[in-house]
Structure formats: structure tokens, C-alpha cells
Amino acid sequence: MNILRFVFSPILWILSVIYVIILNFKQYLYKNNILKTNKLPAKILCVGNITVGGTGKTSLVLFLSKVLQKKHKITILTRGYKRKSRNGYLIVSDGKNILTDVKDSGDEPYLLAEKLENVPVIVGADRYSAGKIALNKFNVGTLLLDDGYQHLQLSRNLDILLIDCLNPFGNGFCLPLGLLREPLESMARAGIIILTHCNLVEKTVVDSLVEKIKRYNNSAVIATCVHKPVNFIRFADGEKIATSYFSGREVSVLSSIGNPPSFEKTLVSLNAKINNRYNFTDHHWYRAEEIKNILSINEFVITTEKDSVKLENFKDGADKEILSHLFTLQIEIEIMENKEKCLEKIEKILET
């Protein structure tokens, strides 16, 4: 793979340059009102990133939803990447009931719907149209735009940018040569920048990253956060198990997420010993035979919450003994440095 990348890197570099030119031209069109930015009569907060792969957006959306719903009526708008349904929009949850299955909604929207009460979740590539549905059906005043940093079609009141300390900007190049969706200059649009997985790197790495960010955006609130393990859940019966349970034990990991190393490093921080890795492409839809084969040859298999919601359908008719080998790691985000500044900035925007 590295040899192929070396051989094709000149071509990828040219394609990256073309990509950036097209991206800059598109942003120019929006900035000069040649392309229309739609507005909605609501406060809109956007959570996103400038790299492909996972930075912890879903965990932050969960955190913000739980905090904000204490004072505000909110709805989550998300794309529903790799969902099976082809509807223009789909109401995954009305805040009280889940109205679709995981394949139609996509794994992340379904997880949000499953873990949140009184917060509707709507999927749709056109976030403006989905937002109008939210306002008409649920009479909310705040829309939380999940993975929308590049969605310039919809105006927002605040951009919250997530940057993963484990791999902040890849090799520094834009797609397809690198991981960047946009050049680093795009960080200037953010009002809040949150560094994720700070506990999995040295403090010097975090400090260096903060200094680099400030060269592009010196006005944003910069916060740090960790993804804190809460407990394990035995998949077969839902029993909660302490995070210390796998300390010193050999385990296998099963995931189809954008950033498998962060998940694995979290397990290692709990002193688990990883002996097998089953890493599928992001948002992979598992087949029953895949899961059966993996569980039948491993005593302990640990997966993510995002993967777990896609495995629920396999419970019916499955061998309970085999299912007892599967565990889900529950994780919550915890903002460490500048938490109050972040929440104060958000609250000030929502109350004006």
C-alpha cells in the first residue's frame, strides 16, 4: 500500500491541488452571495471537523444535547452517512420514540436517537430542508448541526470545530493525497475549537497543537477534552460491567469507525491486552456470518457503541453463548480545559 501511494503520489498531489482550487472557488461563490446561504428562524450550532475520519463528533453532540436541553428545545440535524434509505429526509426520532431502523437512519443518527430523550433527530443531506421540517413539526428554537462544518448552504450562529490530538491534520495535504477536507486556514471560521483525545498524548503535543491553531485562529475559545470510559455492556443481556474487568485480559476489538487507533488506545489505557483487531471500513454494515465467525474464535470481543447499534438485529435467533463473548465499551466526552468558557459562549449566542 505504501509503495502504491509513493508511485501515485504525484497524481494525488495534482488532484489535491485541483480539489483545493474547486473548494476555494466554491467558498468564494458563497462569500460573495453568488451561491445562496439559506437562513432559518432558529439558532444553529454546528459541530464538525476539517479531516476525514472520526474526531469524536457524535460524543460531543450527545454531550451538548444533554446540557442544552435543560434550557432549550433542540433538534439534531445530521446527514446519516451510508444510510440505506433514499428519502430526502427522515425523522429518526421525535424525541419520544425511535421511528425507523438503524439501516434506514445510519448508525450515528440511530445511536443519538437511542441515547437522547426529548431531542428529535432528523437525517437528510439537505440540512436546510431538514431544518424546516424540525421547526414545523417540533417547534424548536435551536438546531444542532452534526458534521456540518463544510455545509455552507446553511447559515449558522456558531461553528464548533473538533481536532483529534492523535492525528490532527494527517500529512497536511487535502484530499485525496491527505486527510484534510479543507486547508488549515479554514480553522478561522470556528468560534470554539475542541481538542479531542488529549489524555492519549503527551501534554507537549497538546501545547504544540494549540500554538499551531492560534496561528490560524487567535480569537476562538480553545478547549481540551477526553473520551472517558464509563463501563462495559455485555451485549447478550445488557449487564453493566466495571471498566476494570478486562484489566490484564487478552481481548479482540471489532470496529467500523473512522479512527480505530483512538478506540484501541482507550482500551489499552484500561490495561486490556489486544491480541486481534477486526477493523472494517467506516460505517460498514456487518453480515451475520462475519460476526458469528469472529465471536466463535475469540473469548472476549469489544466493540464501540456505534457498532453495537448495528449488531442488535443479530440477537434474534443467535446462539446466546456466542453472543456472551461480545462487549460494548461506553464512552462519554468530558471537557477539561475551558469548559465553562465554551458553555458561556454557546449560551450567550442562544439567548441573544
Side-chain angles (χ1 to χ4, degrees):
M1 183 62 71
N2 289 334
I3 294 175
L4 287 175
R5 193 166 187 83
F6 175 78
V7 171
F8 288 105
S9 60
I11 298 173
L12 295 175
W13 182 85
I14 293 171
L15 292 175
S16 292
V17 171
I18 295 172
Y19 173 87
V20 171
I21 291 171
I22 294 172
L23 188 67
N24 287 340
F25 181 62
K26 180 182 177 182
Q27 291 177 347
Y28 170 84
L29 294 178
Y30 276 108
K31 187 176 181 179
N32 290 276
N33 297 317
I34 298 170
L35 288 178
K36 183 181 178 183
T37 298
N38 296 298
K39 295 185 178 181
L40 289 169
K43 300 294 185 180
I44 300 179
L45 309 178
C46 171
V47 174
N49 55 15
I50 59 170
T51 56
V52 295
T55 54
K57 294 185 297 294
T58 302
S59 297
L60 182 65
V61 170
L62 280 169
F63 169 80
L64 290 176
S65 298
K66 290 176 181 178
V67 171
L68 297 180
Q69 71 174 148
K70 296 174 183 177
K71 296 177 64 176
H72 307 276
K73 291 184 67 175
I74 69 173
T75 291
I76 296 171
L77 308 181
T78 183
R79 181 176 179 179
Y81 186 65
K82 284 198 175 180
R83 62 188 173 109
K84 299 294 185 180
S85 63
R86 290 292 176 261
N87 299 8
Y89 75 91
L90 188 68
I91 299 176
V92 182
S93 165
D94 60 5
K96 297 180 177 62
N97 301 293
I98 297 177
L99 306 176
T100 183
D101 63 28
V102 65
K103 286 193 173 183
D104 282 339
S105 67
D107 48 17
E108 289 167 347
Y110 194 89
L111 178 61
L112 290 169
E114 191 174 73
K115 293 182 76 70
L116 291 170
E117 294 182 4
N118 302 314
V119 178
V121 179
I122 302 177
V123 297
D126 182 351
R127 253 56 78 83
Y128 173 64
S129 297
K132 288 196 294 184
I133 298 298
L135 298 181
N136 291 334
K137 283 189 172 290
F138 303 118
N139 191 32
V140 296
T142 302
L143 300 175
L144 191 52
L145 190 60
D146 177 30
D147 196 11
Y149 200 74
Q150 289 75 37
H151 193 79
L152 302 178
Q153 297 95 318
L154 182 60
S155 177
R156 70 289 308 273
N157 300 91
L158 176 67
D159 274 306
I160 303 172
L161 178 64
L162 272 64
I163 297 175
D164 184 6
C165 289
L166 290 171
N167 191 13
F169 311 117
N171 60 7
F173 287 96
C174 284
L175 295 167
L177 182 59
L179 298 179
L180 287 172
R181 294 177 173 183
E182 299 183 67
L184 298 185
E185 288 79 5
S186 65
M187 288 191 286
R189 298 201 305 270
I192 294 175
I193 298 176
I194 299 179
L195 309 184
T196 64
H197 300 120
C198 291
N199 57 318
L200 301 179
V201 298
E202 298 293 332
K203 186 179 184 300
T204 54
V205 174
V206 178
D207 292 341
S208 176
L209 184 53
V210 169
E211 289 304 311
K212 185 168 186 175
I213 291 168
K214 286 183 177 180
R215 294 204 293 269
Y216 297 94
N217 186 334
N218 199 33
S219 61
V221 175
I222 301 176
T224 61
C225 78
V226 301
H227 287 70
K228 183 177 67 175
V230 179
N231 51 47
F232 291 99
I233 302 290
R234 196 196 315 273
F235 186 76
D237 56 16
E239 180 185 353
K240 291 184 178 181
I241 298 171
T243 54
S244 60
Y245 182 76
F246 290 104
S247 178
R249 298 177 187 252
E250 290 189 349
V251 302
S252 298
V253 293
L254 169 66
S255 71
S256 61
I257 57 177
N259 190 1
S262 65
F263 175 53
E264 294 170 13
K265 284 179 179 289
T266 300
L267 289 173
V268 171
S269 73
L270 297 175
N271 202 31
K273 299 178 179 179
I274 300 174
N275 58 5
N276 289 311
R277 294 170 172 83
Y278 301 96
N279 295 327
F280 294 82
T281 57
D282 198 10
H283 304 282
H284 173 74
W285 293 108
Y286 296 106
R287 293 180 289 109
E289 197 62 28
E290 289 174 335
I291 302 305
K292 182 180 178 181
N293 290 340
I294 291 170
L295 296 182
S296 63
I297 61 174
N298 293 279
E299 183 179 6
F300 300 119
V301 178
I302 302 177
T303 193
T304 72
E305 289 185 280
K306 192 176 92 170
D307 289 295
S308 183
V309 297
K310 294 184 292 189
L311 300 174
E312 286 293 329
N313 292 337
F314 299 146
K315 282 185 176 180
D316 295 337
D319 186 317
K320 298 299 182 185
E321 197 280 326
I322 289 181
L323 283 184
S324 68
H325 298 182
L326 181 62
F327 299 81
T328 302
L329 176 61
Q330 286 193 315
I331 289 176
E332 291 181 355
I333 204 166
E334 183 175 347
I335 299 178
M336 308 298 287
E337 186 178 350
N338 286 333
K339 176 181 177 180
E340 293 307 317
K341 285 186 179 180
C342 288
L343 295 180
E344 286 172 7
K345 184 162 191 170
I346 292 171
E347 201 59 46
K348 184 177 180 180
I349 288 172
L350 295 184
E351 290 183 348
T352 56

